Amino acid sequence: MAKVLIHATTTLDGFMADKDGGIDWMFDFEAVEQDYAVVNKVMAEIGAIVGGANKTNTIEEGEIPYGGMLKVPIYLMTHEAHEPIEKDGITYNFVVNDIKQAVEAAKVSAGDRSVALLGGSISRQCLKLGLVDEIVLDVVPLLLGEGISLFGGLGERIKLERIETSAFVSETHLRYRVVR
């Protein structure tokens, strides 16, 4: 059965976006082949994605997970029912207010590959529910000082076991197993 992992790029102070939701800062760093190899290895294991829908339940440019490079089913959490959307070879399924159902559906779609969780709220909810198997972070050398935190507001302690670490020119790559 599929593993569920949080996969995110964050700043050293733990932000995944600036206070306005912008992520332009992610692209300001020189990367080397080793950085790409680590990220590509994680991307190759992803078979489905769970994230949050925008307020209009549309798929806008700049909102496509992994820039559309992964052609895997995507499950988006929403508060209103909506028919699936097909765009550029990707099926976006909308799940109303049931994160467990979204993760289970994504696991079925992923088969023996992993389910990636995107976004702070989705990640924190899944951690609290005990649905997360691993956390994979690509940390860039930047302090934003304020922004949207990946884990801020979690409100509970979760023990992790380090599986893998590596550091190259611009990123430190961290992989942890959630200890249950």
Side-chain angles (χ1 to χ4, degrees):
M1 193 65 155
K3 272 191 297 197
V4 176
L5 54 89
I6 296 168
H7 183 221
T9 298
T10 67
T11 60
L12 188 58
D13 51 355
F15 296 112
M16 54 182 215
D18 66 27
K19 65 182 181 177
D20 299 318
I23 59 169
D24 292 345
W25 53 266
M26 277 188 205
F27 309 106
D28 290 340
F29 299 94
E30 178 185 341
V32 294
E33 198 56 43
Q34 293 96 325
D35 289 312
Y36 293 121
V38 172
V39 173
N40 288 339
K41 178 181 168 192
V42 175
M43 289 176 50
E45 75 179 81
I46 296 172
I49 297 169
V50 176
N54 65 25
K55 289 179 174 44
T56 58
N57 290 338
T58 57
I59 311 302
E60 303 298 326
E61 200 63 38
E63 296 177 342
I64 300 170
Y66 295 95
M69 294 185 321
L70 292 178
K71 304 295 185 194
V72 299
I74 298 175
Y75 295 83
L76 299 174
M77 297 305 304
T78 186
H79 298 294
E80 297 177 16
H82 194 286
E83 291 298 313
I85 294 174
E86 296 274 341
K87 183 174 181 173
D88 298 326
I90 300 171
T91 301
Y92 298 85
N93 302 284
F94 295 86
V95 180
V96 179
N97 296 329
D98 190 341
I99 191 75
K100 281 185 176 180
Q101 178 189 356
V103 170
E104 286 306 313
K107 287 172 82 171
V108 169
S109 291
D112 62 349
R113 295 170 67 197
S114 296
V115 172
L117 303 175
L118 300 181
S121 176
I122 298 294
S123 297
R124 291 187 299 272
Q125 288 176 61
C126 289
L127 278 167
K128 286 181 178 188
L129 291 169
L131 302 175
V132 177
D133 298 302
E134 294 183 6
I135 299 173
V136 181
L137 300 176
D138 302 306
V139 182
V140 298
L142 176 69
L143 300 172
L144 279 179
E146 63 181 343
I148 299 172
S149 174
L150 181 56
F151 298 115
L154 180 61
E156 63 185 77
R157 184 179 298 193
I158 301 203
K159 187 170 174 144
L160 306 172
E161 175 186 11
R162 183 173 51 87
I163 299 171
E164 185 179 331
T165 59
S166 59
F168 304 103
V169 172
S170 67
E171 296 178 19
T172 301
H173 307 280
L174 307 166
R175 189 169 193 139
Y176 297 95
R177 180 176 298 112
V178 175
V179 176
R180 292 187 169 85

